[in-house]
Amino acid sequence: MDPNRLLVLRAVARTGGVKPAARALHLTPSGVSQHLSKLEAEAGVALVDRTRRGGGRSLVLTPAGRALADQAEQLAAALASAQRRVDLYKEQQGGTVRIGGYASVLNQVVAHTVVSLALTDADVDPRIFEVDEEEGLRQLAKGELDLLISERPQPDDPPRPRTLVETDLMRDPFRIVVPASWSADVGADDILGGPWVLSSGHSPSRQALERVATAHGVSLDVRHTAVQSGTMLALIAAGLGAGIIPQLTLTHLEHGQVRVHPGPLDPGSRTITVLHHRDRLQAAPERALVELRRQASTEEQVIHAGSPSTESS
């Protein structure tokens, strides 16, 4: 059996379907399906229960498929261990660095870090992976990531494992964003009173805004919620309400027809950090961490040198 196809099966088992596995592996859905069919031919046994497909249900593996997916987990761990071992035999200061994180920081700080390392430390080979917090922590624990971009936990968040070291990178201020069609002299009390377009759930930005509203004795009038920042900005641009978005997110997204409110409301900021295992920081990840901190410092200086002035078109 082709070990690469076993890893495809592992991705399908983890994500619950061909399409999400294709997104995770950067393949087409038809490519994933072909790998599964060829793996079934090589194994000589059905791996997918095709009697339970359709109707929007998740893909279900047969008992043989689940058994092979479990073996693929061991294969992935062995490959990760082999990669770490190979890195030890590369140049003393070189090797692969796998960096995970979320879009706004990857697009700004991490992308600039990779470009800089290519010019100054060509023996360091950074690889970028966009992951959410839960998946990133899991991959970090299994050695599939060397560095994970994150945020300082909120007081009511579960504690981080003691095996992790968390290094502050930068402070990213939250911005109050309003439709460009709103009057430029609208006051803080009028904005707080309302309507709002906010993130669904308890994001750090929403929690910060709720603290400001509580301090002003205002109950937020949340008319619309969104998961993606791009959706939130589109709703704000349509005039449906004000929102709160981190500056780095504003920097890397198109946001015409909105502007940052320059008034006295100060919802604070989030602290962006980088996590790594206490006993796994080899030379290459350490050099990447140094450059990450330098790029983050530069980005923070740019942010704080400016002001929350109008951004509209």
Side-chain angles (χ1 to χ4, degrees):
M1 290 177 285
D2 187 326
N4 289 317
R5 293 188 183 117
L6 285 172
L7 296 179
V8 172
L9 177 66
R10 168 180 175 258
V12 170
R14 282 187 165 196
T15 61
V18 169
K19 289 184 178 179
R23 288 193 295 269
L25 297 172
H26 303 288
L27 297 173
T28 64
S30 62
V32 171
S33 296
Q34 290 174 20
H35 278 298
L36 289 178
S37 296
K38 291 178 180 178
L39 183 60
E40 285 183 319
E42 292 169 350
V45 63
L47 303 178
V48 177
D49 186 349
R50 291 177 173 80
T51 66
R52 303 177 64 180
R53 298 294 302 279
R57 291 175 293 182
S58 298
L59 181 145
V60 177
L61 299 180
T62 64
R66 292 194 297 272
L68 272 185
D70 290 341
Q71 292 296 312
E73 289 286 353
Q74 298 179 37
L75 172 62
L79 289 173
S81 176
Q83 180 66 61
R84 291 193 296 272
R85 184 64 61 87
V86 168
D87 286 346
L88 293 177
Y89 286 96
K90 289 183 178 179
E91 271 190 63
Q92 183 179 2
Q93 297 296 315
T96 301
V97 183
R98 297 153 298 181
I99 306 172
Y102 48 91
S104 60
V105 181
L106 296 182
N107 291 351
Q108 294 292 119
V109 178
V110 179
H112 295 162
T113 297
V114 171
V115 172
S116 179
L117 287 172
L119 297 174
T120 62
D121 294 275
D123 53 337
V124 175
D125 181 18
R127 310 288 178 90
I128 298 176
F129 302 89
E130 184 178 356
V131 292
D132 60 26
E133 180 85 359
E134 182 179 354
E135 177 65 10
L137 287 172
R138 189 197 63 75
Q139 291 186 18
L140 194 64
K142 297 188 71 173
E144 297 172 355
L145 289 176
D146 300 298
L147 304 173
L148 176 64
I149 309 299
S150 182
E151 296 177 17
R152 277 285 178 194
Q154 298 297 308
D156 55 349
D157 288 341
R160 296 273 168 76
R162 294 185 178 182
T163 55
L164 296 182
V165 176
E166 188 163 20
T167 303
D168 289 351
L169 287 181
M170 63 179 293
R171 186 169 61 88
D172 185 18
F174 297 125
R175 302 299 194 197
I176 303 295
V177 182
V178 300
S181 59
W182 284 16
S183 172
D185 59 357
V186 60
D189 290 340
D190 290 332
I191 290 180
L192 277 176
W196 284 92
V197 180
L198 298 180
S199 59
S200 54
H202 296 285
S203 67
S205 59
R206 180 164 180 167
Q207 291 177 357
L209 179 64
E210 288 172 345
R211 287 193 293 270
V212 172
T214 299
H216 283 75
V218 175
S219 179
L220 294 175
D221 178 14
V222 182
R223 302 284 184 89
H224 313 280
T225 62
V227 175
Q228 299 295 328
S229 297
T231 304
M232 191 185 307
L233 282 170
L235 296 177
I236 296 170
L240 301 183
I244 179 170
I245 297 178
Q247 178 60 53
L248 274 182
T249 303
L250 282 174
T251 301
H252 92 271
L253 287 177
E254 292 291 335
H255 50 282
Q257 301 303 319
V258 305
R259 59 183 173 81
V260 175
H261 187 260
L265 289 176
D266 181 11
S269 61
R270 62 179 179 175
T271 300
I272 297 173
T273 65
V274 59
L275 298 167
H276 66 81
H277 266 281
R278 191 177 302 277
D279 58 349
R280 294 183 192 168
L281 193 63
Q282 304 296 330
E286 187 170 11
R287 290 168 71 187
L289 177 56
V290 170
E291 185 59 26
L292 273 170
R293 295 184 70 181
R294 191 180 76 83
Q295 293 292 336
S297 176
T298 300
E299 186 70 29
E300 187 173 27
Q301 290 174 23
V302 171
I303 288 174
H304 295 294
S307 62
S309 58
T310 300
E311 298 282 351
S312 62
S313 63

